Amino acid sequence: LDRSSAASDVYKRQGPGFDPAHWRAEITIAANDLQRELLLPALARRLRTQAPAAMLRVIDSGAPDAELLRSDACLLAISPRPPDATDIVQKRLFSDEYAVFYDSAVRQPPASLADYLQAEHATVAYADRQALDLDLQLQARGLERCFAVRVPGFAALAAFVRGTPLLATAPSLLGCTALSSLASFAVPVDCPPLPMFMIWHTRHQADPAHAWLRGQLQQVVAQALGGAGPSMPAKPVSYTHLRAHETGRN
């Protein structure tokens, strides 16, 4: 089955007799690398089984704005930064925490906050160049990190950190996916949690197909977090112990 030809260019609302087995649609979801690697492959497998005539299309979300969801650009966005607009609906999927990733074959974790700030860092800068919440909080305290590398997404960090003394502060759940080859420790300063939201436009709220899709994504989240619950991600090693943990090193 050629799903691309089966999918319509513009999403069509479904009636009350919706049956996913006969759903012919292009399902576009906007997400960045954490959400994309952690959740969407499992969602794609569910769709192939339960909605075989549908095609999943994934686009980068960056920091999504309301126009992305008001248009036909996507059905859902998954992001820690939901747009602030009265016609946009959001539902919290889970909450993560930041962790500091590094190559334990090259360096030890910093021994103090001062060492952490003096180290060279790799970080993420999306198209809007908005700083991470962590850096905004540090700046409010008169502190800042020294950046040696900026990349457009978290998945690119491993290639720049591996084999170097660079540090990368990123969502801890990336230790299960893109950053699994690196060791990590907890950020040595209080920083805000990283809630992740499913976001959509109000016009889809009562659509049976859209509601079904949202339910499938919530089931994927529960499975991906291993039963820990939507606000209980795996925690990195405590900074006070300064003990690296390694997963999947080659």
Side-chain angles (χ1 to χ4, degrees), residues 57-193:
R57 177 173 175 252
V58 182
I59 62 174
D60 287 333
S61 66
D65 58 22
E67 289 306 317
L68 177 72
L69 294 150
R70 288 171 182 150
S71 70
D72 291 315
C74 67
L75 286 179
L76 280 174
I78 309 171
S79 173
R81 295 176 174 173
D84 184 12
T86 58
D87 59 338
I88 302 300
V89 185
Q90 59 179 261
K91 181 177 179 61
R92 180 168 147 168
L93 291 172
F94 62 89
S95 183
D96 197 6
E97 297 176 351
Y98 286 106
V100 185
F101 293 87
Y102 68 102
D103 188 338
S104 63
V106 175
R107 64 162 300 150
Q108 295 295 314
S112 66
L113 173 58
D115 288 345
Y116 170 76
L117 295 174
Q118 289 169 6
E120 289 190 316
H121 294 252
T123 192
V124 168
Y126 292 112
D128 60 2
R129 298 188 66 82
Q130 185 173 350
L132 297 180
D133 292 343
L134 167 64
D135 291 300
L136 295 176
Q137 183 160 313
L138 287 173
Q139 290 165 17
R141 298 175 54 182
L143 305 172
E144 66 179 310
R145 297 189 289 159
C146 175
F147 296 116
V149 177
R150 295 181 190 270
V151 296
F154 287 115
L157 288 171
F160 289 90
V161 172
R162 196 179 300 113
T164 78
L166 291 176
L167 303 177
T169 304
S172 70
L173 285 170
L174 283 165
C176 301
T177 57
L179 303 185
S180 62
S181 64
L182 301 174
S184 70
F185 60 92
V187 182
V189 64
D190 290 338
C191 58

Side-chain angles (χ1 to χ4, degrees), residues 35-55:
Q35 312 90 289
R36 186 170 59 236
E37 295 192 19
L38 184 68
L39 304 177
L40 297 188
L43 180 63
R45 290 191 291 271
R46 281 177 170 264
L47 290 174
R48 286 198 300 272
T49 300
Q50 300 183 45
M55 181 185 74

